[in-house]
Amino acid sequence: MALETRTTEGIETGRTILRTEGLTKRFGQFTAVDQVDLEVRRGEFRSIIGPNGAGKTTLFNLVTGALRTTEGSVYFDDDEITSLSPSDRVRRGIGRSFQISNIFGGLSVRENVRLAAQSVERDRYNVLEALFKPTDRYPGMNERTDEVIERVGLEALAEEEADALAYGDKRRLEIGVVLATDPDLVLFDEPTAGMSVEETQATIDLIERVLEDRTLLLIEHDIELVMDLSDRITVLNRGEILAEGTPDDIAANREVQEAYLGGMIE
Ligand code: ADP
Ligand code: MG
């Protein structure tokens, strides 16, 4: 178990928060994730890159429990979580923003955030039922909800229906919904897909700002952004880790250049 350490690059990192061992997912004959050993330290900003179909989303699905592993193990904070349900993993501190939206369009901004905050309360069993109970049944919940809404800058829109929000505000709400579960580790799968350059920058700024004290695992196709933001980068190719290291390591890696970057980075 690593104590507080500092890498040679001067990146401050903590002890291991997430570890996978021989993590493998097969769909029939096809191996989408192949013997992946991943180690992420507390406080790290780690990006996962790789061509389409490399297995990035599948890897996330194995970490969050959305998919069952074929082989291998997942550890979170030194506990094995390989067979825990997705909601148990959220309760442990693994938050996730889906490539497909995870907000309820018919509910208000406030209701969406409160629902997410309540979903991690251990003493509650039925989240949907809880939503329609008087809010004073959950002391502290309203404060937490307000705080999250403020942190993502949606105060003025708190009573709006999520469906009525502009695109950028919806993304803000998605980040708020993740934040409301109070995660230690957050996984973002292409949060800027389909965004303009300005929207992309605004979204990344928001993610960095509101999640600054947490560990981030980001799948992102914008290489420049990845090079700019990441402490470390993991390159996946055909389900396997092709390379791993600092942005400089990755930019200088000939194998990565050949297999993926196509000489984009000199
Ligand atoms: P990435 O996110 O890197 O683009 P994915 O993890 O989505 O890649 O997919 C990796 C490979 O696994 C792809 O070839 C994809 O077609 C395949 N795959 C993903 N999910 C399934 C599934 N549920 N059933 C069968 N094949 C799948
Ligand atoms: Mg994907």
Side-chain angles (χ1 to χ4, degrees):
M1 228 171 307
L3 299 170
E4 288 290 317
T5 55
R6 195 172 267 274
T7 68
T8 48
E9 289 77 26
I11 300 156
E12 213 172 338
T13 54
R15 63 197 190 91
T16 301
I17 186 168
L18 176 73
R19 188 160 60 84
T20 72
E21 247 179 43
L23 196 60
T24 299
K25 180 67 185 179
R26 281 191 279 274
F27 297 110
Q29 300 285 79
F30 179 75
T31 306
V33 171
D34 197 359
Q35 296 287 329
V36 166
D37 297 330
L38 187 72
E39 191 167 343
V40 179
R41 295 186 170 220
R42 208 169 256 283
E44 220 185 295
F45 192 130
R46 172 76 63 95
S47 294
I48 314 270
I49 63 172
N52 267 337
K56 305 181 295 295
T57 297
T58 304
L59 175 63
F60 268 27
N61 284 332
L62 297 175
V63 170
T64 60
L67 283 175
R68 220 177 265 278
T69 58
T70 308
E71 271 169 33
S73 327
V74 184
Y75 298 87
F76 184 71
D77 264 347
D78 294 327
D79 294 328
E80 180 165 7
I81 59 161
T82 316
S83 50
L84 285 191
S85 71
S87 56
D88 279 342
R89 295 185 205 209
V90 171
R91 241 169 256 133
R92 289 244 177 165
I94 302 180
R96 173 186 191 154
S97 184
F98 292 82
Q99 209 164 5
I100 300 160
S101 178
N102 57 344
I103 57 182
F104 296 100
L107 300 181
S108 73
V109 166
R110 185 182 303 284
E111 286 166 333
N112 268 285
V113 172
R114 188 155 58 84
L115 193 58
Q118 285 174 1
S119 73
V120 292
E121 289 297 296
R122 276 167 208 287
D123 57 338
R124 298 195 32 278
Y125 297 104
N126 189 334
V127 168
L128 277 171
E129 186 188 305
L131 184 66
F132 301 104
K133 281 185 179 169
T135 56
D136 58 10
R137 292 280 298 275
Y138 305 102
M141 200 55 72
N142 288 336
E143 286 88 339
R144 229 168 103 194
T145 301
D146 287 342
E147 193 190 308
V148 168
I149 290 172
E150 198 187 311
R151 277 184 92 176
V152 297
L154 287 174
E155 302 99 308
L157 299 169
E159 309 312 326
E160 293 290 318
E161 225 175 66
D163 264 347
L165 296 180
Y167 189 74
D169 291 327
K170 246 184 214 166
R171 297 286 93 86
R172 277 171 195 280
L173 177 55
E174 276 167 21
I175 293 166
V177 163
V178 178
L179 192 61
T181 65
D182 198 22
D184 294 316
L185 170 71
V186 190
L187 294 86
F188 283 108
D189 191 349
E190 305 201 9
T192 67
M195 288 188 178
S196 69
V197 175
E198 295 77 29
E199 286 168 336
T200 296
Q201 194 55 55
T203 302
I204 294 293
D205 286 349
L206 180 64
I207 289 174
E208 279 207 295
R209 189 154 46 82
V210 301
L211 297 169
E212 60 184 350
D213 50 346
R214 298 159 207 262
T215 311
L216 238 70
L217 211 49
L218 173 76
I219 296 174
E220 172 59 55
H221 60 271
D222 185 330
I223 298 299
E224 253 178 77
L225 213 61
V226 163
M227 290 289 169
D228 212 35
L229 295 168
S230 315
D231 294 320
R232 288 195 192 80
I233 299 169
T234 298
V235 185
L236 268 193
N237 194 36
R238 300 171 193 269
E240 293 178 311
I241 294 181
L242 177 71
E244 201 164 75
T246 64
D248 286 347
D249 293 338
I250 296 303
N253 186 307
R254 188 151 292 280
E255 236 187 324
V256 174
Q257 288 179 8
E258 281 165 11
Y260 175 49
L261 300 175
M264 268 163 57
I265 292 168
E266 298 302 321

mmCIF file of all heavy atoms in Angstrom, residues 130-155:
data_model
loop_
_atom_site.group_PDB
_atom_site.id
_atom_site.type_symbol
_atom_site.label_atom_id
_atom_site.label_comp_id
_atom_site.label_asym_id
_atom_site.label_seq_id
_atom_site.Cartn_x
_atom_site.Cartn_y
_atom_site.Cartn_z
ATOM 1 N N ALA A 130 -38.876 8.239 -2.264
ATOM 2 C CA ALA A 130 -38.313 9.286 -1.428
ATOM 3 C C ALA A 130 -38.474 10.668 -2.052
ATOM 4 O O ALA A 130 -38.633 11.669 -1.355
ATOM 5 C CB ALA A 130 -36.833 9.021 -1.180
ATOM 6 N N LEU A 131 -38.448 10.700 -3.361
ATOM 7 C CA LEU A 131 -38.550 11.972 -4.057
ATOM 8 C C LEU A 131 -39.866 12.674 -3.737
ATOM 9 O O LEU A 131 -39.941 13.894 -3.716
ATOM 10 C CB LEU A 131 -38.436 11.733 -5.573
ATOM 11 C CG LEU A 131 -38.440 12.980 -6.441
ATOM 12 C CD1 LEU A 131 -37.187 13.804 -6.175
ATOM 13 C CD2 LEU A 131 -38.514 12.591 -7.899
ATOM 14 N N PHE A 132 -40.895 11.896 -3.496
ATOM 15 C CA PHE A 132 -42.215 12.487 -3.295
ATOM 16 C C PHE A 132 -42.592 12.607 -1.822
ATOM 17 O O PHE A 132 -43.692 12.980 -1.485
ATOM 18 C CB PHE A 132 -43.262 11.693 -4.093
ATOM 19 C CG PHE A 132 -42.928 11.690 -5.551
ATOM 20 C CD1 PHE A 132 -42.384 10.569 -6.165
ATOM 21 C CD2 PHE A 132 -43.112 12.840 -6.316
ATOM 22 C CE1 PHE A 132 -42.039 10.586 -7.510
ATOM 23 C CE2 PHE A 132 -42.773 12.865 -7.660
ATOM 24 C CZ PHE A 132 -42.234 11.731 -8.258
ATOM 25 N N LYS A 133 -41.651 12.285 -0.963
ATOM 26 C CA LYS A 133 -41.872 12.477 0.464
ATOM 27 C C LYS A 133 -41.485 13.912 0.829
ATOM 28 O O LYS A 133 -40.674 14.520 0.141
ATOM 29 C CB LYS A 133 -41.019 11.494 1.274
ATOM 30 C CG LYS A 133 -41.622 10.111 1.323
ATOM 31 C CD LYS A 133 -40.801 9.222 2.235
ATOM 32 C CE LYS A 133 -41.426 7.840 2.287
ATOM 33 N NZ LYS A 133 -40.523 6.893 2.948
ATOM 34 N N PRO A 134 -42.029 14.418 1.914
ATOM 35 C CA PRO A 134 -41.650 15.777 2.315
ATOM 36 C C PRO A 134 -40.143 15.870 2.484
ATOM 37 O O PRO A 134 -39.520 14.949 3.028
ATOM 38 C CB PRO A 134 -42.342 15.957 3.669
ATOM 39 C CG PRO A 134 -43.392 14.914 3.721
ATOM 40 C CD PRO A 134 -42.952 13.790 2.858
ATOM 41 N N THR A 135 -39.565 16.963 2.017
ATOM 42 C CA THR A 135 -38.105 17.057 2.003
ATOM 43 C C THR A 135 -37.526 17.143 3.408
ATOM 44 O O THR A 135 -36.364 16.834 3.607
ATOM 45 C CB THR A 135 -37.640 18.280 1.199
ATOM 46 O OG1 THR A 135 -38.261 19.438 1.760
ATOM 47 C CG2 THR A 135 -38.018 18.149 -0.253
ATOM 48 N N ASP A 136 -38.317 17.574 4.386
ATOM 49 C CA ASP A 136 -37.757 17.675 5.734
ATOM 50 C C ASP A 136 -37.535 16.304 6.375
ATOM 51 O O ASP A 136 -37.015 16.201 7.473
ATOM 52 C CB ASP A 136 -38.626 18.587 6.627
ATOM 53 C CG ASP A 136 -40.059 18.086 6.727
ATOM 54 O OD1 ASP A 136 -40.327 16.958 6.271
ATOM 55 O OD2 ASP A 136 -40.909 18.825 7.265
ATOM 56 N N ARG A 137 -37.930 15.265 5.654
ATOM 57 C CA ARG A 137 -37.619 13.916 6.141
ATOM 58 C C ARG A 137 -36.124 13.617 6.001
ATOM 59 O O ARG A 137 -35.626 12.669 6.560
ATOM 60 C CB ARG A 137 -38.411 12.861 5.335
ATOM 61 C CG ARG A 137 -39.900 12.898 5.573
ATOM 62 C CD ARG A 137 -40.250 12.182 6.873
ATOM 63 N NE ARG A 137 -39.872 10.772 6.823
ATOM 64 C CZ ARG A 137 -40.640 9.810 6.310
ATOM 65 N NH1 ARG A 137 -41.815 10.107 5.834
ATOM 66 N NH2 ARG A 137 -40.231 8.557 6.302
ATOM 67 N N TYR A 138 -35.430 14.414 5.231
ATOM 68 C CA TYR A 138 -34.016 14.160 4.975
ATOM 69 C C TYR A 138 -33.194 15.388 5.342
ATOM 70 O O TYR A 138 -32.827 16.176 4.493
ATOM 71 C CB TYR A 138 -33.801 13.785 3.506
ATOM 72 C CG TYR A 138 -34.656 12.636 3.112
ATOM 73 C CD1 TYR A 138 -35.827 12.835 2.381
ATOM 74 C CD2 TYR A 138 -34.332 11.342 3.507
ATOM 75 C CE1 TYR A 138 -36.642 11.776 2.054
ATOM 76 C CE2 TYR A 138 -35.144 10.278 3.185
ATOM 77 C CZ TYR A 138 -36.300 10.502 2.459
ATOM 78 O OH TYR A 138 -37.098 9.447 2.145
ATOM 79 N N PRO A 139 -32.924 15.553 6.610
ATOM 80 C CA PRO A 139 -32.196 16.742 7.039
ATOM 81 C C PRO A 139 -30.841 16.822 6.355
ATOM 82 O O PRO A 139 -30.169 15.812 6.176
ATOM 83 C CB PRO A 139 -32.050 16.544 8.557
ATOM 84 C CG PRO A 139 -32.328 15.118 8.806
ATOM 85 C CD PRO A 139 -33.205 14.626 7.701
ATOM 86 N N GLY A 140 -30.454 18.005 5.974
ATOM 87 C CA GLY A 140 -29.163 18.181 5.324
ATOM 88 C C GLY A 140 -29.229 18.016 3.820
ATOM 89 O O GLY A 140 -28.363 18.499 3.103
ATOM 90 N N MET A 141 -30.266 17.328 3.366
ATOM 91 C CA MET A 141 -30.354 17.038 1.941
ATOM 92 C C MET A 141 -30.594 18.293 1.109
ATOM 93 O O MET A 141 -30.033 18.460 0.042
ATOM 94 C CB MET A 141 -31.499 16.043 1.716
ATOM 95 C CG MET A 141 -31.405 15.304 0.420
ATOM 96 S SD MET A 141 -29.832 14.453 0.241
ATOM 97 C CE MET A 141 -30.042 13.136 1.434
ATOM 98 N N ASN A 142 -31.432 19.180 1.644
ATOM 99 C CA ASN A 142 -31.711 20.412 0.888
ATOM 100 C C ASN A 142 -30.484 21.308 0.793
ATOM 101 O O ASN A 142 -30.220 21.897 -0.251
ATOM 102 C CB ASN A 142 -32.869 21.177 1.526
ATOM 103 C CG ASN A 142 -34.190 20.469 1.275
ATOM 104 O OD1 ASN A 142 -34.314 19.718 0.304
ATOM 105 N ND2 ASN A 142 -35.153 20.691 2.151
ATOM 106 N N GLU A 143 -29.711 21.366 1.876
ATOM 107 C CA GLU A 143 -28.486 22.154 1.857
ATOM 108 C C GLU A 143 -27.511 21.593 0.827
ATOM 109 O O GLU A 143 -26.900 22.330 0.066
ATOM 110 C CB GLU A 143 -27.802 22.156 3.230
ATOM 111 C CG GLU A 143 -28.482 23.026 4.274
ATOM 112 C CD GLU A 143 -29.577 22.290 5.037
ATOM 113 O OE1 GLU A 143 -30.101 21.258 4.518
ATOM 114 O OE2 GLU A 143 -29.906 22.731 6.145
ATOM 115 N N ARG A 144 -27.387 20.279 0.840
ATOM 116 C CA ARG A 144 -26.466 19.646 -0.095
ATOM 117 C C ARG A 144 -26.907 19.886 -1.538
ATOM 118 O O ARG A 144 -26.096 20.151 -2.419
ATOM 119 C CB ARG A 144 -26.407 18.144 0.194
ATOM 120 C CG ARG A 144 -24.984 17.652 0.278
ATOM 121 C CD ARG A 144 -24.945 16.280 0.843
ATOM 122 N NE ARG A 144 -24.721 15.316 -0.216
ATOM 123 C CZ ARG A 144 -24.898 14.018 -0.063
ATOM 124 N NH1 ARG A 144 -25.324 13.540 1.087
ATOM 125 N NH2 ARG A 144 -24.662 13.196 -1.042
ATOM 126 N N THR A 145 -28.212 19.792 -1.722
ATOM 127 C CA THR A 145 -28.759 20.011 -3.062
ATOM 128 C C THR A 145 -28.464 21.439 -3.521
ATOM 129 O O THR A 145 -27.985 21.656 -4.640
ATOM 130 C CB THR A 145 -30.285 19.749 -3.047
ATOM 131 O OG1 THR A 145 -30.505 18.405 -2.621
ATOM 132 C CG2 THR A 145 -30.900 19.958 -4.419
ATOM 133 N N ASP A 146 -28.733 22.398 -2.641
ATOM 134 C CA ASP A 146 -28.480 23.806 -2.982
ATOM 135 C C ASP A 146 -27.012 24.047 -3.302
ATOM 136 O O ASP A 146 -26.672 24.777 -4.230
ATOM 137 C CB ASP A 146 -28.887 24.722 -1.811
ATOM 138 C CG ASP A 146 -30.399 24.819 -1.681
ATOM 139 O OD1 ASP A 146 -31.094 24.472 -2.661
ATOM 140 O OD2 ASP A 146 -30.882 25.224 -0.604
ATOM 141 N N GLU A 147 -26.157 23.441 -2.502
ATOM 142 C CA GLU A 147 -24.722 23.636 -2.673
ATOM 143 C C GLU A 147 -24.261 23.143 -4.055
ATOM 144 O O GLU A 147 -23.490 23.810 -4.743
ATOM 145 C CB GLU A 147 -23.993 22.867 -1.565
ATOM 146 C CG GLU A 147 -22.543 23.218 -1.408
ATOM 147 C CD GLU A 147 -21.859 22.246 -0.471
ATOM 148 O OE1 GLU A 147 -22.368 22.034 0.648
ATOM 149 O OE2 GLU A 147 -20.826 21.673 -0.867
ATOM 150 N N VAL A 148 -24.764 21.971 -4.432
ATOM 151 C CA VAL A 148 -24.385 21.409 -5.729
ATOM 152 C C VAL A 148 -24.901 22.291 -6.864
ATOM 153 O O VAL A 148 -24.173 22.603 -7.809
ATOM 154 C CB VAL A 148 -24.924 19.959 -5.874
ATOM 155 C CG1 VAL A 148 -24.799 19.486 -7.320
ATOM 156 C CG2 VAL A 148 -24.188 19.025 -4.941
ATOM 157 N N ILE A 149 -26.145 22.737 -6.733
ATOM 158 C CA ILE A 149 -26.743 23.575 -7.774
ATOM 159 C C ILE A 149 -25.927 24.853 -7.946
ATOM 160 O O ILE A 149 -25.669 25.309 -9.064
ATOM 161 C CB ILE A 149 -28.222 23.887 -7.431
ATOM 162 C CG1 ILE A 149 -29.059 22.605 -7.584
ATOM 163 C CG2 ILE A 149 -28.773 25.006 -8.312
ATOM 164 C CD1 ILE A 149 -30.486 22.726 -7.086
ATOM 165 N N GLU A 150 -25.473 25.382 -6.818
ATOM 166 C CA GLU A 150 -24.666 26.595 -6.874
ATOM 167 C C GLU A 150 -23.302 26.324 -7.511
ATOM 168 O O GLU A 150 -22.828 27.095 -8.338
ATOM 169 C CB GLU A 150 -24.497 27.106 -5.442
ATOM 170 C CG GLU A 150 -24.071 28.552 -5.359
ATOM 171 C CD GLU A 150 -23.771 28.936 -3.921
ATOM 172 O OE1 GLU A 150 -24.616 28.640 -3.036
ATOM 173 O OE2 GLU A 150 -22.695 29.501 -3.686
ATOM 174 N N ARG A 151 -22.714 25.205 -7.135
ATOM 175 C CA ARG A 151 -21.369 24.900 -7.663
ATOM 176 C C ARG A 151 -21.353 24.721 -9.168
ATOM 177 O O ARG A 151 -20.365 25.001 -9.830
ATOM 178 C CB ARG A 151 -20.782 23.660 -6.985
ATOM 179 C CG ARG A 151 -20.139 24.014 -5.650
ATOM 180 C CD ARG A 151 -19.488 22.834 -5.028
ATOM 181 N NE ARG A 151 -18.086 22.722 -5.397
ATOM 182 C CZ ARG A 151 -17.278 21.799 -4.906
ATOM 183 N NH1 ARG A 151 -17.737 20.926 -4.048
ATOM 184 N NH2 ARG A 151 -16.035 21.738 -5.282
ATOM 185 N N VAL A 152 -22.460 24.224 -9.731
ATOM 186 C CA VAL A 152 -22.492 24.071 -11.192
ATOM 187 C C VAL A 152 -23.174 25.259 -11.861
ATOM 188 O O VAL A 152 -23.385 25.265 -13.071
ATOM 189 C CB VAL A 152 -23.140 22.736 -11.634
ATOM 190 C CG1 VAL A 152 -22.325 21.554 -11.147
ATOM 191 C CG2 VAL A 152 -24.587 22.623 -11.147
ATOM 192 N N GLY A 153 -23.517 26.279 -11.057
ATOM 193 C CA GLY A 153 -24.026 27.526 -11.615
ATOM 194 C C GLY A 153 -25.431 27.457 -12.177
ATOM 195 O O GLY A 153 -25.726 28.085 -13.194
ATOM 196 N N LEU A 154 -26.298 26.686 -11.525
ATOM 197 C CA LEU A 154 -27.671 26.573 -12.032
ATOM 198 C C LEU A 154 -28.716 27.161 -11.077
ATOM 199 O O LEU A 154 -29.903 26.838 -11.192
ATOM 200 C CB LEU A 154 -28.002 25.094 -12.318
ATOM 201 C CG LEU A 154 -27.336 24.468 -13.542
ATOM 202 C CD1 LEU A 154 -27.641 22.982 -13.626
ATOM 203 C CD2 LEU A 154 -27.765 25.158 -14.833
ATOM 204 N N GLU A 155 -28.273 28.051 -10.180
ATOM 205 C CA GLU A 155 -29.218 28.618 -9.200
ATOM 206 C C GLU A 155 -30.456 29.195 -9.867
ATOM 207 O O GLU A 155 -31.584 28.943 -9.434
ATOM 208 C CB GLU A 155 -28.567 29.744 -8.374
ATOM 209 C CG GLU A 155 -27.338 29.361 -7.620
ATOM 210 C CD GLU A 155 -26.092 29.776 -8.352
ATOM 211 O OE1 GLU A 155 -25.972 29.438 -9.549
ATOM 212 O OE2 GLU A 155 -25.223 30.426 -7.737
#
